[in-house]
Each structure stands twice: as structure tokens, then as C-alpha cells.
Amino acid sequence: MTQLILQIEGMTCASCVGHVERALGAVEGVDSVSVNLAAETATVQYAAPAAVDTLALVARTAGYPPREVRMRLQVQGMTCASCVGRVEAALKTAPGVLEAQVNLASEQAEVVGLAGVMASADLLEAIAVAGYGASRVDGDVPVAPASQRKAAEARHLGRLTLLAAVLTAPVFLVEMGGHIYPPLHHWVAREVGLGNSLLFQFLLTTVVLLGPGLRFHQKGWPMLMRGTPDMNSLVALGTSAAWGYSVVATFAPGVLPAGTAHVYYEAAAVIVVLVLLGRWLEARAKGRTGAAIEGLVALRPDTARVERGGDVVDVAVEKIALGDLIHLRPGERIAVDGVVARGRSWVDETMVTGEPVPVEKAIGDSVVGGTVNGVGALVFRATAVGGDTVLARIITLVEQAQGAKLPIQAAVDRVTLWFVPGVLVAAALSVLLWLIFGPDPALSHALVAGVSVLVIACPCAMGLATPTSIMVGTGRGAEMGVLFRKGDALQALEGVDLVALDKTGTLTAGRPELVAFEPCKGFTRAEVLPLVAAVEAASEHPIARAIEAAAEGLDVPPAGTVRAMPGFGVQGKVAGRMVLVGAARFLERKGIELGTWRARADDMAAQGQTPLFAAIDGTLAALICVADPVKDTTPAAIKALHDMGLRVAMLTGDAAGTAKAIAGQLGIDLVEAELLPEGKLAALERLRGQGRVAFVGDGINDAPALAAADVGLAIGTGTDVAIEAADVVLIGGDLTGVVNAIGLSRLTMRNIRQNLGWAFGYNILLIPVAAGVFYPVSGILLSPVLAAGAMAVSSVLVVTNALRLRRVQPMMEMRE
């Protein structure tokens, strides 16, 4: 399967989402489609025979064209028409390319492709493979950041709204003002004439509908003709009905029943004004939903000082290659990931670690793009560029989470699939019932009720309810150091009942220290410690680092064949002697008698220390104890989890005594000790009997548990394997991120339910009101103008409510 993310234009409501999903999903080879209204993207998983150009064509045919970019390249080495054909063919094989035209005379290629898919690097590579040289003339032309596109769209909608309001004001003043203040009506009749007044209203309203309001008709009528009506169809149909009835009443009143020749020009015009106003406010609000992504992108500098040909020159970040030497001045932001080659400085890595304290960097240390250099000067070698940098991967994680569709959205989609057709049926039924049962003038009442039902319905609010909250919530999460790798984790995390924690590196610092080394009879520390350190040198376990550190300065011989047994220990040949190091169960499994040393180990375990045994040539040689200090923030984080109504469990391979001692100190509810890596999976299954389980870990041996848990959270300082297996990545190195992630999940899901409650409640309550259900009681029929105003406010309220998540504060600070 291949994943394609299309940036879709023209979607305005939940019905549009359904139309795009059905159109793309019908293409042979497409496995799944997920459309996000707030992000304006469609994520497609597909295989052959589906292809990028086919999917783009299908979306365009459905009335929702993918956003495109144009790129111009300077091509070197072309000599004839055959070269032109080869270059064009090569370009068309690059991902996302829709069209490619090459001009031999100017030696330039004009390429049109899908925004976010077509990249200049792929085009240059395709031309190089074809045997020609190329360079960019104008770079990756438009894809402006989403906030800029939304700002431009908001400005355009603002101008349309203002123009429509200016044109509508006289119509509204003449028609409604005459009802509110009768002397105005008499003055117009006397000075202007009722016929001239109607002609004046007709002209202005027609300009409004065919000018600022044309966008609704251009989109709405074709969709209606295809049998896939959307929000634009409702507005187009409602305003056309009001305008058309008014035209008949103006120019051929005799064809209407007596007493029904009323005009509704002001309703048609004001509907356009209010819907445009709502779209303008909505565009302004939606532009702020992606602020987190923009903030992350802004962390990357545009240029860097790179060694080229013996000189240090300014180079665009996109042109930095692996292995380039980059010079960094004090205070500058680091452009790409790399390793320090020269110099010494302190770097602010808050973006990556959540730690506010700068980290010292010297030769051989790694630096991360987007972080800030301190007072020293550095020269570093690029080790990751482009999409491979840590910052780029973080941005990708956030974008994927923001484009995700939660399980709760599935129910919404089932409703919105039939919502607009249902509104059309409701409007038609309202007209029919009024014509049959309504009092005189029944035709006028029927028109008002039908138009009101059409324009009060708001599928926009239903479509925006979930994705806007997801975008803002996951974006705020990124700012707080919580990255949702999988969008559905946002919903799943809210429902967890129990949080299971790995001990080493999660509850504790992951930097054990040797606190006791007691040789057995016939052995000495000087004899045993170097042998133990020799076999531990091949291990990646944190305890091995503690033993190595204790042996620093001693003559440690090289180890021969070393074999690690996860969950047990390590064994190897050192200086011709067989050395075993590990837990009690490891040595007992090897037939080595522990005797009274087992009780001594249990005593140390009761103090929270981790006991290990060493054996040489089949004889017990020493008891080794290490202690891994609990992180400063761990006690407060566990208390916060309890305050949130969650139970906490600890899963560890440590001895039961050690585990229970640490659990007692921290107030942990459940302990699963002496677990092998595969034993963690069985422990998770046992814990599942008490509810939904979130597992937090950081090591390679945690990866299976992270993948198997209902929700897996990886500490960001952990291994890449653990991070890849997790649903949520916590940038900081402590448990405060877990508290923040669960708190943010709960707030975001509550926000989504508020939005859905409003969107559905609004439509369920007000569509019957617009149809006139209260007319028999009150004698009042809702004006189409008020209906349009209510619809405009509805979608704006949903987006505004979602934006409140931007102000969510961390439940706990990453470091105090």
C-alpha cells in the first residue's frame, strides 16, 4: 500500500467530506480514505491499479480539485526534440507530477503537480537519472503555509462580504425599514414609486447573487445536478427560490394567487451577506487552528553557513547535503541534525527534551535542528537533512495526527451522508404542508418556510465539530511535548482506566549506580569486577553502564564470545574463564547454588536496590547491587494520575522485593515483577481484566508491550524502536508528559462532544422551527434572514469553541 495526502479545495461542510470519500473510495485499488474538513486534506491508502493522477482526476471530477503547485526548472544538456521528450517522460514519473512541459529554446521545464506531494528534489533526481542536469529557477512555488492561505481566503471573503453588505443595505432598508417604520414606506411610494422601488431592489439583489454570491451557485447547482448536494446547494436553492418568487411578483404578479405577490429580495440578499460573513469568520478562526504546525516550521532557519570549496557561504537549508560542515555562531538556531566536529558550546534543547537547562556540546556530541546555540561557536557535520531530521519527523507526526479521523467521527459521517438530502426533503415537505394546510397567503408562507429550512440547516458545523478540535488539541499537545503518532490515540487515551509503567528509564532516571559489590569467599573485588565489566561492555542495559563506570581505571580484559539473554543476564568468556552475570533466576537456571547470599540479596531488594550475582567458572563469585534513583517528578506525576481517578501499575524485570519497595515509596497500586520481555505482554493481558490499559515505556524490550497496550506512550528519550511502536510520544524524559497527555485527551474529547452536541442539537431543534411548527401557537414564522444568521453563527461557534483548546495549560510542568 502507498499513502497519498491530497490537499483538497472547495470543501465547506460534512456533506463535502462524504462526497470526496465516496468518490476516492470507489477507485479500484483504494484501500481506505480519510478526509479532514478542518485540515482540508484527503489521506488515501492505495495500491495498483490506482495511481496519483487517477485519484487527482477523480477528486477534480467530483467537484473538489486537489491543490496544485507549479515549478520551473532550468535543464542542462538538451540538444534536440528527443531530449525534450525524454526529460518530459522522466518528470512525469516523479511523485505527484500531473503535467510537464519542456521548452528546448529556453531550456526550461514547467511542471504542475500536487501540493505537498511533488517535491523539487524528486524532479531533479528524475532528470539526473535521465542523463541531464537541472536546477530550480523558482523553487517550490506556492505551497504557502495553511495559515497564510486561510488569511488570504479570509481577506477575499471579507471583501466579498463588505461588497455584498453595501449592495444589500439599500434593499434591506427600503423593504424591512418600511415594515418597521411605516412612514418610510409611504415616502418611498410617494417619491420613488413602488414599481421603481421593486425594480431597484431587483437590480441590486441580482448583482449580489451574481457577484459576491456567485460562488454558492457555481458550486451548489452542479453538485445538486450530480445528486450530491452540499451546503452551497442549500444556499443556492434557497436564495434562488426567494429571488425567483420575487421576480415573478415584480414582473408578472398576475400569475400568482391574489394576496401572495410579495417580494423577498431582501431575504435573498441578506442570506448571501450573512453566509459570507459566517464563512469569513470561519476562515479567520480556521487559520488559527494550524498555529502549532506553523510554530514548529518557524523553528527551522531558512539558511545556514556551510563550507563550500574552502569558503563559508550562506546556503538555503533545502540545499544542505549529508556530510556538509556547518558553521554556527553564538545565538543562532541549528539548521539540521549533526555531530559536532569543532568547538564547544551550550545548546538549548527545550524543543526536544523539555528541559529548560542548556546542554553542553563538544566534539562528537549530537545536535538537533531547530534547537538554539548558546554563547560558543560550533562547527558540526550534517547527519540528517530534509525530512529525516528530528524536527521534520515531529512536524510529520503532528500533521498525521491532525489529519486523523477518530472513531467518534464514524457515527457523524453516517448521519451527514444523508443530512443535506434530508434537508431538501424537509424543505419540500414544509412547502407542501403549508400549501395544503396553511392559512392565506399559503403560497407566501410556504416559500418563507421552505427557504428558512434550506438556509438554517448547517452541515458545516457538523463537519467541523471533530476535526477542528483534533487539529487544535494535537497542536497544543505538540507545544506541551505530547506527540500523538496515531490520531485515534487521542480518543483511546481518554478511556484508559489503568496506567502501566516500565520502571527503568520511566519511573527512574535510567542511570543506575553501583552501590554495593560483595565478593564471595575465595574471590576479591579486584579480581571479579574487571571480569564482570568485560562481559557487561557488550550489553546495552543501563545496569551494564553502572558496572562499567565502577570499573573505570581498572585493567578490563577483552571479552570473547558474549551472549545476552534478555530478562536473565549475560555470559561470556574472559581471559579463558566463563563469566555469568545476572538475576538470581539466571544463576539458579545454570545450576549455581546461591545459599545464604539469596537472603542477603532479598534484604537489599527490600531497600529498593537491584541485586545481581556474578559467577566465575561455575562458582558464585560476588553479589552486586545497583540503585537507579527515582526521577524527581515521578512522585508528583503518580499522585496526579491518582487524582485523575486512574490506577497505576509497575511492570519490571527486577526482583519482587526491589519492585515492591519502590512501589511502596511511590504509592503504586499494582506490581508485576521479575518479568521477561515476553512476560510484559502476559502481564498487560492480566491488567486488562481491570479495564483499558495505557503502557508507558522507553526501551527496545518495551516495544512489544507498547504495541499491544490499548494505548502505548513512549518516553521521547527512549529508543527509536520504542517510539515507532508507540501511539503517543512524550518529548520530555519524565512522567509529567503522561499526565499532560491524558489531561489533554480528556479536554479535547469533551470539546468534541460539546461541538457535536451543539451541531446536532442546533439542527434538530431549529429545522422544525424554521419549518413553522410553532406557527399554530405563536402565529410567527421564522424569517429566512434570521435563519441565515443562525446558520452563520453555528459554524463559527464550533470553530471558536475548538480554539479554546489553544489556551489549555499543562496539568504538570515538564520540569519544576
Side-chain angles (χ1 to χ4, degrees):
M1 286 290 166
T2 302
Q3 178 172 291
L4 173 68
I5 300 178
L6 298 173
Q7 298 181 15
I8 303 293
E9 294 183 325
M11 295 192 298
T12 56
C13 65
S15 296
C16 303
V17 171
H19 299 331
V20 175
E21 288 187 342
R22 287 197 300 278
L24 292 174
V27 176
E28 186 180 359
V30 170
D31 180 65
S32 64
V33 183
S34 177
V35 177
N36 187 300
L37 178 60
E40 297 180 344
T41 60
T43 302
V44 187
Q45 299 282 351
Y46 71 96
V52 171
D53 54 351
T54 305
L55 295 170
L57 178 62
V58 167
R60 187 179 294 106
T61 304
Y64 303 94
R67 190 170 287 112
E68 297 177 358
V69 292
R70 290 182 177 273
M71 209 173 291
R72 193 178 303 117
L73 306 173
Q74 192 72 39
V75 183
Q76 296 92 36
M78 295 190 300
T79 57
C80 63
S82 296
C83 300
V84 170
R86 280 193 287 270
V87 173
E88 286 185 348
L91 287 170
K92 288 176 181 176
T93 64
V97 172
L98 300 176
E99 297 176 27
Q101 293 183 341
V102 178
N103 188 305
L104 181 61
S106 64
E107 296 185 334
Q108 288 193 347
E110 188 84 20
V111 189
V112 179
L114 298 174
V117 181
M118 186 177 75
S120 58
D122 294 329
L123 301 181
L124 298 178
E125 183 180 351
I127 292 174
V129 169
Y132 301 89
S135 59
R136 294 179 298 179
V137 175
D138 53 359
D140 297 353
V141 189
V143 204
S147 63
Q148 293 183 20
R149 292 200 308 271
K150 285 298 176 188
E153 181 185 348
R155 288 193 296 270
H156 178 61
L157 286 169
R159 289 191 293 268
L160 290 179
T161 304
L162 181 61
L163 176 60
V166 169
L167 293 171
T168 300
V171 179
F172 185 81
L173 185 65
V174 168
E175 187 61 31
M176 297 305 295
H179 291 297
I180 297 169
Y181 185 61
L184 176 63
H185 173 75
H186 298 316
W187 180 86
V188 169
R190 185 176 63 252
E191 300 295 331
V192 179
L194 292 179
N196 291 334
S197 173
L198 293 178
L199 185 61
F200 173 70
Q201 293 180 52
F202 161 74
L203 292 173
L204 286 180
T205 302
T206 303
V207 173
V208 170
L209 295 184
L210 298 182
L214 184 62
R215 59 192 291 125
F216 303 118
H217 299 275
Q218 287 177 324
K219 193 70 180 287
W221 288 111
M223 299 303 289
L224 189 61
M225 295 300 104
R226 290 193 192 102
T228 56
D230 65 355
M231 181 69 206
N232 296 295
S233 304
L234 298 180
V235 175
L237 193 58
T239 54
S240 297
W243 178 84
Y245 186 92
S246 302
V247 168
V248 173
T250 301
F251 298 104
V255 303
L256 297 174
T260 63
H262 306 299
V263 296
Y264 298 94
Y265 289 121
E266 87 290 347
V270 173
I271 287 169
V272 169
V273 172
L274 292 176
V275 175
L276 284 173
L277 177 64
R279 294 275 174 91
W280 173 62
L281 293 171
E282 183 184 313
R284 289 186 62 190
K286 284 167 68 178
R288 297 195 292 272
T289 60
I293 290 284
E294 302 297 333
L296 290 170
V297 172
L299 293 176
R300 191 193 71 172
D302 296 325
T303 61
R305 299 168 65 245
V306 182
E307 284 189 18
R308 292 284 168 87
D311 296 324
V312 179
V313 297
D314 285 336
V315 173
V317 170
E318 294 81 4
K319 295 185 178 181
I320 295 176
L322 291 174
D324 277 348
L325 283 173
I326 300 163
H327 289 242
L328 196 63
R329 298 188 184 104
E332 286 186 329
R333 195 174 287 278
I334 298 171
V336 296
D337 298 352
V339 173
V340 176
R342 298 195 297 272
R344 180 181 293 271
S345 184
W346 295 79
V347 175
D348 181 355
E349 294 188 332
T350 307
M351 177 201 85
V352 179
T353 64
E355 299 278 1
V357 180
V359 180
E360 186 177 12
K361 299 292 180 181
I363 295 173
D365 291 333
S366 61
V367 292
V368 177
T371 57
V372 181
N373 185 30
V375 295
L378 292 175
V379 177
F380 68 94
R381 190 176 301 278
T383 57
V385 298
D388 296 327
T389 64
V390 170
L391 178 59
R393 294 205 303 269
I394 289 174
I395 292 171
T396 300
L397 285 178
V398 178
E399 287 176 334
Q400 289 174 346
Q402 289 189 337
K405 182 168 285 191
L406 302 190
I408 195 173
Q409 183 69 26
V412 179
D413 290 344
R414 286 194 293 271
V415 174
T416 55
L417 180 65
W418 300 103
F419 180 75
V420 174
V423 170
L424 293 173
V425 171
L429 192 59
S430 297
V431 171
L432 184 63
L433 291 175
W434 273 101
L435 289 175
I436 297 173
F437 301 108
D440 290 330
L443 184 59
S444 296
H445 289 325
L447 176 70
V448 170
V451 172
S452 294
V453 168
L454 289 173
V455 297
I456 205 168
C458 192
C460 303
M462 298 164 73
L464 290 169
T466 301
T468 49
S469 296
I470 294 172
M471 284 190 70
V472 181
T474 54
R476 182 66 184 118
E479 294 169 350
M480 292 163 52
V482 177
L483 301 177
F484 291 90
R485 288 191 68 249
K486 299 172 184 175
D488 56 0
L490 189 65
Q491 181 171 344
L493 195 57
E494 181 214 22
V496 298
D497 305 295
L498 187 148
V499 179
L501 308 168
D502 174 54
K503 182 181 79 73
T504 304
T506 303
L507 287 169
T508 62
R511 295 186 293 272
E513 300 170 354
L514 189 68
V515 293
F517 191 100
E518 300 181 8
C520 298
K521 187 176 180 180
F523 293 93
T524 65
R525 178 186 175 107
E527 175 191 5
V528 178
L529 183 55
L531 298 177
V532 171
V535 294
E536 290 289 7
S539 173
E540 293 296 323
H541 199 284
I543 288 178
R545 303 286 76 78
I547 294 173
E548 276 193 291
E552 194 171 337
L554 300 178
D555 184 16
V556 178
T561 303
V562 176
R563 183 180 169 208
M565 278 143 284
F568 288 96
V570 63
Q571 68 180 45
K573 277 273 190 180
V574 184
R577 309 178 76 178
M578 177 57 70
V579 180
L580 306 180
V581 184
R585 60 179 178 271
F586 179 41
L587 271 71
E588 288 173 343
R589 183 177 172 183
K590 294 290 185 179
I592 296 172
E593 185 63 42
L594 301 181
T596 58
W597 287 98
R598 182 63 187 257
R600 174 67 176 147
D602 291 342
D603 290 341
M604 292 184 166
Q607 300 172 36
Q609 299 174 6
T610 300
L612 302 170
F613 292 94
I616 298 176
D617 293 331
T619 303
L620 187 65
L623 170 64
I624 305 166
C625 282
V626 297
D628 190 2
V630 171
K631 293 177 182 176
D632 294 340
T633 53
T634 296
I638 290 176
K639 181 180 182 302
L641 291 173
H642 283 146
D643 291 343
M644 297 169 85
L646 299 169
R647 303 185 75 200
V648 181
M650 179 173 72
L651 308 185
T652 179
D654 281 358
T658 303
K660 288 178 180 176
I662 293 174
Q665 295 170 16
L666 297 174
I668 290 174
D669 305 299
L670 301 167
V671 177
E672 294 276 355
E674 299 184 7
L675 296 175
L676 302 178
E678 58 272 22
K680 288 185 178 179
L681 297 180
L684 280 177
E685 285 303 315
R686 288 194 294 271
L687 293 175
R688 273 209 179 99
Q690 303 184 37
R692 293 179 60 83
V693 179
F695 177 74
V696 187
D698 72 330
I700 291 175
N701 62 343
D702 293 327
L706 286 166
D710 295 306
V711 187
L713 298 95
I715 300 291
T717 53
T719 63
D720 288 343
V721 175
I723 289 172
E724 284 300 314
D727 303 300
V728 183
V729 178
L730 309 173
I731 290 179
D734 56 49
L735 289 180
T736 57
V738 179
V739 178
N740 291 336
I742 295 173
L744 181 64
S745 170
R746 290 181 174 184
L747 289 173
T748 302
M749 292 308 301
R750 186 172 72 184
N751 190 271
I752 288 172
R753 291 189 181 96
Q754 289 170 347
N755 282 346
L756 290 174
W758 165 259
F760 280 91
Y762 163 89
N763 284 291
I764 291 170
L765 292 175
L766 291 191
I767 288 177
V769 171
V773 294
F774 290 130
Y775 185 85
V777 178
S778 64
I780 298 174
L781 194 58
L782 186 68
S783 164
V785 170
L786 294 177
M791 186 271 290
V793 169
S794 179
S795 56
V796 175
L797 279 177
V798 165
V799 180
T800 303
N801 186 51
L803 286 173
R804 292 193 305 118
L805 291 171
R806 292 177 63 189
R807 298 195 296 271
V808 170
Q809 296 303 310
M811 310 295 152
M812 291 183 66
E813 295 299 330
M814 295 299 288
R815 285 289 182 187
E816 296 186 5

